[in-house]
Amino acid sequence: MFSQTVEYALRAVVHLAYEAPDARTTAQIAEATKVPKDYLSKILQGLAKRGIVTTQRGVGGGVSLAKTPEEVTILDVVNAVEPIERITTCPLGLKTHGVRLCPLHKRLDAAMATVEAAFRNTTLAEVLAEPSASVPLCESPDDRKLRLRQR
């Protein structure tokens, strides 16, 4: 349903939220999130243009969230990369339908509205706070240390 670009952007911002307020280099983010560095660099540029992240060149620089994890929603990130497209007129261009969607397209749009609402109501802080026994979206330095101790 969502592109690889959206997935990569979400991984990157979740990692930055975990590390907030500290900045990370593109290489550090790429390693932690398993995203190809060159592709990630382009995604981060787009996120910076949309005000989701800030970038600082030079010593002590890097990429960080532009706001706190409590202020950034999943919808903010998705819309910064590939906005969710709602169906407002007949996708087939049928003049008889116009803005009156057929039953199929009404349902498709309703599904997108549900996704949009769920993403609007979920912050990065909530994603990080949710307990999980599954493999994490991104590894944190603490996770790696814990695994090494368990060996």
Side-chain angles (χ1 to χ4, degrees), residues 25-38:
T25 66
T26 301
Q28 289 170 323
I29 300 166
E31 181 181 349
T33 61
K34 312 284 189 259
V35 176
K37 185 181 169 202
D38 291 340

Side-chain angles (χ1 to χ4, degrees), residues 56-79:
Q56 175 83 29
R57 289 188 175 269
V59 178
V63 183
S64 60
L65 285 180
K67 302 174 187 173
T68 68
E70 292 80 13
E71 297 173 301
V72 181
T73 68
I74 299 298
L75 185 62
D76 294 333
V77 178
V78 171
N79 281 341

Side-chain angles (χ1 to χ4, degrees), residues 103-117:
L104 172 64
H105 289 119
K106 279 183 191 176
R107 283 172 175 77
L108 290 173
D109 184 59
M112 293 310 294
T114 301
V115 169
E116 192 175 59

Side-chain angles (χ1 to χ4, degrees), residues 6 24-25 27 43 47 50 60 64-65 67 76 88 90 92 99-100 105 109 118-119 125 129:
V6 170
R24 292 292 177 256
T25 66
I43 292 169
L47 291 171
R50 296 297 300 251
S64 60
L65 285 180
K67 302 174 187 173
D76 294 333
T88 57
C90 177
L92 301 175
V99 293
R100 293 175 310 180
H105 289 119
D109 184 59
F119 287 177

